[in-house]
């Protein structure tokens, strides 16, 4: 029994050392991942610009850093500059590959699947890095000494061995780096407003830009898919009208009024029945914006032939 207890205690010590003896940089990565998830999904937090900044770091740095930590657990494997550079490079490679893989799954490239996959990849790499580091002697494991780095930085700035000019240049360099990081975060969080436009399109019954119904027998009803996408950076009220041979003044084949928010897309299958017979008649899909019915804001056309029933 004594031997079993000793073995059990040894196992418990190993498990405790594995989980609670995690290096500071890996703990920081886990904490950063959890904070990022909070800013993505918590209703109040996900409306702030911090969400964009954390998401950028989560995509462009964290996956690569954890992968490098798993591949190179030793302190002498690669130096700090190479580790940082490879972290950015591998993140830029890993994130698109995850998106490419999701593209061939039922979930597709959407926010939730990407967040889940990046989180799982990060945590798996953290566990692998932690395991590989614990297989090395403590003095051989890679770890970031935050206190030592702070002391060295403080010594660089306030060292009495340096001249005032050297200390001033060091402070300017540090401030420049912080300013660059802040500027990058601002540019990502507050992107420049792009061109304002509205997408207006028509598709065939199978949802493709093909196989449009162009041959009718008078009285036939055939479907056309109509789509509107608002990229005007504001809410817009649209009037969509379908006419045949510019017959808006008399009657229309179809009309609908709708309001779309910015970046909102509307698609609907519209069943159209021509009201007259003729060859090479122009079926017009007219889109008006903000109640201005004097001239269409966007328009699409189909040339149709309508014959009399036998």
């Amino acid at each position: 029994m004594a031997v079993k207890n000793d073995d059990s205690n040894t196992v418990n010590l190993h498990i405790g050392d594995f989980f609670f003896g995690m290096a500071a940089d890996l703990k920081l990565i886990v904490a950063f991942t959890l904070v990022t998830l909070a800013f993505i999904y918590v209703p109040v937090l996900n409306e702030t610009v911090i969400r964009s900044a954390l998401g950028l770091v989560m995509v462009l740095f964290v996956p690569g850093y954890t992968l490098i930590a798993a591949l190179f657990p030793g302190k002498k494997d690669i130096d700090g500059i190479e580790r940082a550079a490879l972290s950015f490079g591998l993140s830029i490679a890993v994130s698109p590959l995850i998106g490419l893989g999701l593209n061939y799954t039922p979930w597709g490239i959407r926010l939730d699947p990407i967040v889940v996959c990046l989180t799982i990849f990060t945590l798996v790499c953290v566990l692998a890095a932690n395991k590989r580091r614990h297989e090395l002697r403590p003095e051989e494991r890679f770890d970031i000494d935050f206190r030592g780095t702070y002391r060295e930085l403080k010594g660089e700035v306030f060292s009495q061995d340096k001249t005032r000019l050297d200390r001033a240049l060091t402070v300017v360099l540090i401030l420049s780096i912080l300013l660059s990081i802040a500027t990058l975060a601002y540019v990502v969080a507050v992107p420049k407003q792009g061109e304002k436009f509205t997408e207006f399109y028509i598709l065939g019954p199978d949802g493709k830009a093909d196989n449009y119904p162009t041959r009718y027998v008078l009285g036939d009803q055939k479907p056309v898919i109509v789509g509107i996408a608002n990229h005007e950076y504001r809410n817009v009220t649209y009037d969509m009208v379908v006419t045949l041979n510019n017959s808006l003044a008399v009657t229309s084949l179809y009309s609908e009024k709708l309001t779309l928010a910015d970046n909102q897309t509307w698609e609907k299958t519209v069943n159209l029945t021509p009201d007259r017979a003729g060859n090479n008649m122009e079926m017009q899909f007219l889109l008006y914006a903000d109640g201005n019915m004097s001239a269409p804001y966007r328009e699409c056309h189909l040339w149709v032939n309508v014959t009399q029933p036998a």
Side-chain angles (χ1 to χ4, degrees):
M1 293 297 293
V3 175
K4 290 184 179 180
N5 287 336
D6 290 341
D7 292 341
S8 177
N9 291 335
T10 302
V11 172
N12 291 333
L13 286 175
H14 282 307
I15 294 176
D17 183 59
F18 179 79
F19 287 103
F20 299 103
M22 186 178 291
D25 60 328
L26 300 182
K27 290 181 180 178
L28 185 61
I29 290 293
V30 174
F32 180 87
T33 302
L34 296 178
V35 171
T36 303
L37 292 176
F39 273 89
I40 291 175
Y41 291 108
V42 175
V44 178
L45 300 179
N46 62 9
E47 298 176 359
T48 63
V49 297
I50 301 177
R51 174 191 179 185
S52 301
L54 295 179
L56 182 68
V57 178
M58 187 68 188
V59 172
L60 297 181
F61 180 77
V62 171
Y65 182 85
T66 55
L67 182 58
I68 288 296
L71 295 176
F72 303 101
K75 184 183 300 183
K76 297 182 179 180
D77 293 336
I78 54 176
D79 58 27
I81 297 178
E82 291 177 341
R83 194 176 290 269
L86 288 174
S87 298
F88 283 104
L90 285 180
S91 295
I92 295 173
V94 167
S95 299
L97 287 176
I98 292 177
L100 180 63
L102 287 173
N103 185 52
Y104 295 98
T105 66
W107 304 290
I109 305 177
R110 295 195 298 272
L111 175 64
D112 292 342
I114 290 176
V115 170
V116 170
C117 290
L118 282 178
T119 302
I120 293 175
F121 179 86
T122 298
L123 295 180
V124 168
C125 288
V126 165
L127 293 177
N130 191 43
K131 181 178 183 303
R132 295 199 65 193
R133 288 184 185 181
H134 279 79
E135 293 174 352
L136 302 175
R137 292 193 296 269
E139 62 274 9
E140 296 178 351
R141 301 172 188 170
F142 173 79
D143 192 8
I144 299 178
D145 186 2
F146 292 99
R147 293 182 179 179
T149 303
Y150 171 74
R151 288 194 297 267
E152 291 180 4
L153 185 60
K154 184 178 179 180
E156 287 289 334
V157 178
F158 299 103
S159 176
Q160 299 299 324
D161 298 335
K162 294 184 176 293
T163 64
R164 290 184 177 180
L165 179 61
D166 291 336
R167 291 198 295 269
L169 291 176
T170 302
V171 172
V172 170
L173 178 61
I174 295 173
L175 292 178
S176 300
I177 295 174
L178 294 177
L179 181 61
S180 300
I181 295 174
T183 303
L184 177 62
Y186 175 79
V187 170
V188 173
V190 187
K192 182 180 178 181
Q193 191 177 86
E195 181 183 359
K196 299 178 182 179
F197 65 98
T198 294
E199 295 180 46
F200 184 48
Y201 56 88
I202 55 177
L203 303 172
D206 55 357
K208 298 180 180 180
D210 193 13
N211 195 28
Y212 294 103
T214 58
R215 296 183 178 276
Y216 289 83
V217 175
L218 192 61
D220 282 352
Q221 185 181 74
K222 295 186 179 182
V224 175
I225 298 176
V226 182
I228 305 172
N230 178 13
H231 301 288
E232 303 284 350
Y233 294 93
R234 61 184 178 87
N235 294 348
V236 181
T237 299
Y238 298 101
D239 289 274
M240 197 268 291
V241 180
V242 183
T243 67
L244 188 61
N245 269 7
N246 198 22
S247 60
L248 179 59
V250 180
T251 183
S252 60
L253 303 183
Y254 183 86
S255 63
E256 182 162 348
K257 190 183 189 73
L258 64 150
T259 300
L260 298 182
D262 182 39
N263 282 330
Q264 184 179 357
T265 299
W266 174 89
E267 273 192 8
K268 185 175 182 179
T269 300
V270 176
N271 293 305
L272 301 175
T273 303
D275 57 357
R276 73 197 69 180
N279 294 324
N280 293 327
M281 293 191 297
E282 184 180 14
M283 184 178 286
Q284 296 176 302
F285 296 79
L286 306 176
L287 185 67
Y288 300 88
D290 297 323
N292 182 10
M293 305 296 291
S294 59
Y297 183 53
R298 295 286 186 270
E299 55 185 293
C300 298
H301 307 267
L302 279 180
W303 297 95
V304 300
N305 296 323
V306 183
T307 59
Q308 293 284 354

